[in-house]
Amino acid sequence: MDKKNDTFPLPEKEFRDIAQKFVDRQGVVLPGFRYGVGEHREFIDKHYFNFIFVTLDGQIPDEPPIAGGTVGFTIDKKTKDIRSITHGQLGSLHIQEQEINLVYEKLTALKEKNKSLVWLKSRYGLTSKELLKFKKALKKVDLERKVILNQIADLVKNIKYEI
């Protein structure tokens, strides 16, 4: 049975091909230079690629020009939307990814090994009663790493609404 690409994520090579087409469309970005596709990093819901400078004949210079602005771009895994990002936005993307992974690991440990809820109580301002309800509700939820923060927010909202 043949599945569509929107069901299964594209392999990294296909995202690299999308990235290459994107930089090719940019044309000359500085006198004598165009963008190339640099370092790749996969995030939960997108792929990130650094911009690099290449000469118009395709060579990577030993000392690339210095320019400000965007550092690279992301490609959304689902929609394939491309968005240029700055150093600050890339830093925020890294922080968000770390937070998602940390929360996912803590909730998975809580769900599977009955670990402490103290961090959750302080982070979301839950009472002890709300915390117990949250723990019961968590047992019924299949945790998804890429939407974990939304799942927690929904659980907290429902818990606070019920009481």
Side-chain angles (χ1 to χ4, degrees), residues 30-42:
L30 288 174
F33 292 94
R34 62 183 176 80
Y35 282 138
V37 177
E39 183 181 324
H40 167 260
R41 166 100 197 260
E42 184 173 359

Side-chain angles (χ1 to χ4, degrees), residues 14 20 59 63 74-76 86 93 95 107 126 137 149 158:
E14 291 182 57
Q20 187 61 54
Q59 302 299 309
E63 293 194 32
T74 59
I75 304 172
D76 187 278
T86 65
L93 193 58
I95 290 167
L107 286 180
L126 299 174
L149 296 178
N158 290 338

Side-chain angles (χ1 to χ4, degrees), residues 17-81:
D17 291 344
I18 292 169
Q20 187 61 54
K21 287 176 186 169
F22 173 70
V23 297
D24 288 347
R25 288 193 307 265
Q26 304 307 303
V28 176
V29 294
L30 288 174
F33 292 94
R34 62 183 176 80
Y35 282 138
V37 177
E39 183 181 324
H40 167 260
R41 166 100 197 260
E42 184 173 359
F43 289 92
I44 289 170
D45 60 348
K46 57 190 71 162
H47 287 269
Y48 167 79
F49 295 91
N50 276 343
F51 283 127
I52 59 169
F53 288 107
V54 296
T55 61
L56 297 180
D57 64 356
Q59 302 299 309
I60 298 173
D62 290 335
E63 293 194 32
I66 297 173
T70 60
V71 65
F73 58 98
T74 59
I75 304 172
D76 187 278
K77 288 182 178 180
K78 187 173 183 179
T79 65
K80 314 303 178 283
D81 288 339

Side-chain angles (χ1 to χ4, degrees), residues 43 46 48 74 85 89-97:
F43 289 92
K46 57 190 71 162
Y48 167 79
T74 59
I85 62 174
Q89 291 167 324
L90 179 59
S92 294
L93 193 58
H94 283 286
I95 290 167
Q96 179 186 23
E97 187 89 356

Side-chain angles (χ1 to χ4, degrees), residues 124 134 147-159:
Y124 291 98
F134 182 93
V147 294
I148 191 76
L149 296 178
N150 291 336
Q151 284 182 301
I152 293 172
D154 288 345
L155 280 173
V156 168
K157 185 172 74 177
N158 290 338
I159 296 304

Side-chain angles (χ1 to χ4, degrees), residues 119-132:
W119 67 273
L120 190 64
K121 183 176 183 178
S122 63
R123 180 178 180 139
Y124 291 98
L126 299 174
T127 66
S128 295
K129 187 175 181 181
E130 290 169 336
L131 204 53
L132 290 173

